[in-house]
Amino acid sequence: MRSDTAEPLERPDYAEQRQACLDVIALYEQVLRQGDGSDREISAVLDEWRANLLDLEANRWLISPESIERYRSVANQIVMESELTVRFTERGEYRALLQQYASGQVNLEQLIGQLASQADMMRMENE
């Protein structure tokens, strides 16, 4: 996903569910206004529907605007690391190290250490 084209994604049923919630809340509010306003059961149900609406709002997004912003803040680093990895695997030193490991000249711990050193040198070259 390109960070410049990433867009928030709302749950497909959000608008319909939100409107249904608002309609039910309006209905219960009207019932309370028409009565003496002291019906505890209706007030309790109204409170539940208001809580449902808050929960619906909290879960509105499949991909939230905040998630997009977090993604955009690290996207360039992800791409840079990806390009660095491609360059690293194309270098002859990488293949030589793998061949040494495959032939038993170095053990896994030595291979990992040498690969880490190569990666560090490439990072310093890019800075």
Side-chain angles (χ1 to χ4, degrees):
M1 181 186 304
R2 292 183 31 197
S3 66
D4 59 337
T5 61
E7 293 293 329
L9 180 62
E10 191 174 75
R11 292 188 176 282
D13 58 348
Y14 167 76
E16 182 180 318
Q17 286 186 353
R18 182 177 184 276
Q19 189 58 55
C21 239
L22 291 172
D23 291 346
V24 171
I25 289 170
L27 179 66
Y28 278 102
E29 287 174 340
Q30 182 181 6
V31 169
L32 276 178
R33 280 192 305 271
Q34 289 174 351
D36 63 8
S38 64
D39 190 332
R40 288 186 192 184
E41 288 181 31
I42 292 176
S43 292
V45 172
L46 181 57
D47 289 342
E48 286 179 29
W49 277 98
R50 287 179 177 150
N52 289 342
L53 182 60
L54 291 174
D55 186 53
L56 185 64
E57 291 289 338
N59 296 295
R60 174 179 183 173
W61 302 100
L62 292 173
I63 301 174
S64 70
E66 295 81 14
S67 296
I68 298 295
E69 286 306 312
R70 284 192 304 271
Y71 170 70
R72 285 182 177 148
S73 73
V74 298
N76 291 339
Q77 296 167 7
I78 294 169
V79 172
M80 184 182 80
E81 288 297 317
S82 174
E83 291 169 5
L84 181 62
T85 302
V86 169
R87 285 198 316 262
F88 180 70
T89 58
E90 290 174 348
R91 291 174 69 137
E93 296 94 349
Y94 173 75
R95 284 189 217 98
L97 289 172
L98 288 179
Q99 286 176 343
Q100 289 175 359
Y101 175 70
S103 67
Q105 294 174 345
V106 296
N107 63 29
L108 182 59
E109 190 173 308
Q110 291 169 321
L111 173 67
I112 292 171
Q114 291 176 358
L115 290 173
S117 294
Q118 288 289 327
D120 289 341
M121 287 191 317
M122 288 184 70
R123 278 193 196 95
M124 289 188 298
E125 289 172 6
N126 284 331
E127 292 177 359

